[in-house]
Amino acid sequence: MKLSIITINYNNAEGLRKTLDSVASQTYRNIEHVIIDGGSTDGSVDVIKDYVRRVESGESRVESVVWSSEKDNGIYDAMNRGIRKATGDYIQILNSGDILAADDVAERMMAALDSLNAKRSSLNEDAISIIYGNMIKQWPDGKRIVDKCESGNLSMLSFYHGTLNHDSAYIRRDLFERFGLYDENLKIVSDWKWYLQAIPLGGITPVYVDIDVTVFDMTGASESNTAFWKVERRPVLEELVPSMILADYDKYGEDMRMMDRLRRHHMHWLVRFIERVLFKLEKWHILKR
């Protein structure tokens, strides 16, 4: 199967070079690399041209490169341009500055896909729509955190509070025909909106594999970004989630998250015991009246 890796970039020549070198070193050969540059003026185009030369001369294992450099209307417009150009069976979005966690990541992920899809085919089941692994968050001080989000723990609650990391996911290309492209009216939550439509609301079941897929550069992360993410997300929830269901998540969502954390602790039985005692006392007071 062919994997299309989409990289978007704007005036980040240093980060772009890291990303391209990471893809070039992959042991999996059937990779189409789609690079969408937003009309950079910092030497990024020269980095791309040198990369194309390496691919065409056989210095890289990448099968082909498709690229463009022109002004776009933001990150999601650039992603959509890349998706339109992609021809692979599956798509991974690996933005400028982010890298693949190891040289054999694509090979391991595609091998997992091959194996799982073969089993599904024997059972007359559809091929996997989304497969994803772990994202390693790389902070400026050198600290690394492995972000795991196992599929067995995914629910509507997962997308009410958070999302699935897009850079560690392989998405079957035809899903973008079924659910549409990214909403270009949104600034930073359009990939979350797409997942919300596809997974809890659209019935797609993603498959998790315990593979470190990407190293995500957290240099641009900030509290202001997090705050804006929450603000921009709200109208989407109100648009897509029925009001009565959303009201329940607004009221009980944090409590559900707390209980989920407590269940993972060996003392969770104590909380359950206290709740039962309080419930019995409440019933006793009602009956006593």
Side-chain angles (χ1 to χ4, degrees):
M1 292 184 293
K2 181 190 287 187
L3 171 64
S4 292
I5 298 179
I6 297 173
T7 297
I8 65 169
N9 175 74
Y10 181 66
N11 283 342
N12 184 20
E14 181 180 350
L16 178 63
R17 192 185 305 276
K18 286 176 17 182
T19 303
L20 300 188
D21 287 345
S22 170
V23 176
S25 66
Q26 289 301 296
T27 55
Y28 192 75
R29 293 187 175 274
N30 200 5
I31 294 177
E32 170 191 64
H33 202 170
V34 181
I35 306 167
I36 306 296
D37 179 75
S40 296
T41 57
D42 69 336
S44 291
V45 172
D46 291 332
V47 172
I48 297 170
K49 288 180 178 178
D50 180 63
Y51 179 66
V52 172
R53 179 196 60 76
R54 290 160 57 194
V55 171
E56 291 178 345
S57 66
E59 295 176 38
S60 164
R61 298 185 180 97
V62 172
E63 181 69 24
S64 61
V65 179
V66 178
W67 72 281
S68 65
S69 180
E70 57 189 7
K71 182 175 175 56
D72 56 51
N73 294 317
I75 183 172
Y76 293 115
D77 175 35
M79 286 184 182
N80 288 340
R81 293 184 187 201
I83 292 167
R84 292 189 190 100
K85 291 178 181 292
T87 61
D89 300 286
Y90 287 85
I91 286 175
Q92 178 189 19
I93 296 178
L94 184 73
N95 291 334
S96 176
D98 302 330
I99 62 174
L100 297 167
D103 292 349
D104 63 347
V105 164
E107 186 170 6
R108 293 172 66 197
M109 289 290 286
M110 295 304 277
L113 264 173
D114 274 335
S115 175
L116 292 167
N117 281 340
K119 291 179 182 177
R120 290 189 171 213
S121 178
S122 68
L123 298 171
N124 293 320
E125 296 178 352
D126 292 337
I128 290 171
S129 296
I130 301 173
I131 189 171
Y132 68 100
N134 307 323
M135 181 180 78
I136 301 172
K137 295 180 178 180
Q138 174 76 59
W139 295 89
D141 61 1
K143 183 179 180 181
R144 285 189 169 197
I145 299 175
V146 179
D147 188 358
K148 295 187 177 185
C149 184
E150 298 182 26
S151 54
N153 297 326
L154 288 179
S155 65
M156 180 63 198
L157 183 64
S158 306
F159 294 91
Y160 174 77
H161 284 291
T163 189
L164 201 62
N165 299 319
H166 71 254
D167 64 324
S168 60
Y170 288 17
I171 302 172
R172 210 170 66 204
R173 185 165 54 90
D174 61 8
L175 259 64
F176 290 103
E177 298 172 6
R178 178 175 170 184
F179 295 103
L181 299 176
Y182 294 119
D183 185 344
E184 296 175 16
N185 294 314
L186 299 170
K187 300 295 184 184
I188 61 174
V189 304
S190 190
D191 49 334
W192 162 78
K193 178 183 178 180
W194 190 91
Y195 276 136
L196 178 66
Q197 291 174 296
I199 299 174
L201 301 179
I204 296 299
T205 302
V207 174
Y208 168 78
V209 288
D210 191 9
I211 296 173
D212 292 343
V213 179
T214 53
V215 179
F216 184 78
D217 184 359
M218 296 294 289
T219 301
S222 68
E223 290 185 7
S224 60
N225 283 344
T226 301
F228 184 63
W229 188 86
K230 291 179 179 179
V231 170
E232 193 178 48
R233 186 182 58 163
R234 185 65 196 183
V236 176
L237 286 169
E238 293 174 351
E239 172 195 350
L240 298 178
V241 181
S243 58
M244 291 180 69
I245 296 175
L246 182 57
D248 280 342
Y249 278 94
D250 289 341
K251 187 174 182 179
Y252 301 113
E254 191 56 45
D255 293 339
M256 288 190 286
R257 287 184 74 190
M258 181 176 64
M259 288 306 300
D260 185 54
R261 290 193 295 267
L262 286 170
R263 285 193 189 97
R264 296 197 294 268
H265 195 279
H266 70 280
M267 293 292 287
H268 70 90
W269 63 269
L270 182 58
V271 178
R272 178 65 174 169
F273 174 76
I274 294 171
E275 186 275 333
R276 289 288 85 192
V277 170
L278 292 174
F279 176 67
K280 293 292 185 182
L281 286 173
E282 184 180 21
K283 284 185 66 177
W284 181 75
H285 282 297
I286 292 173
L287 292 172
K288 189 178 177 183
R289 290 175 185 171

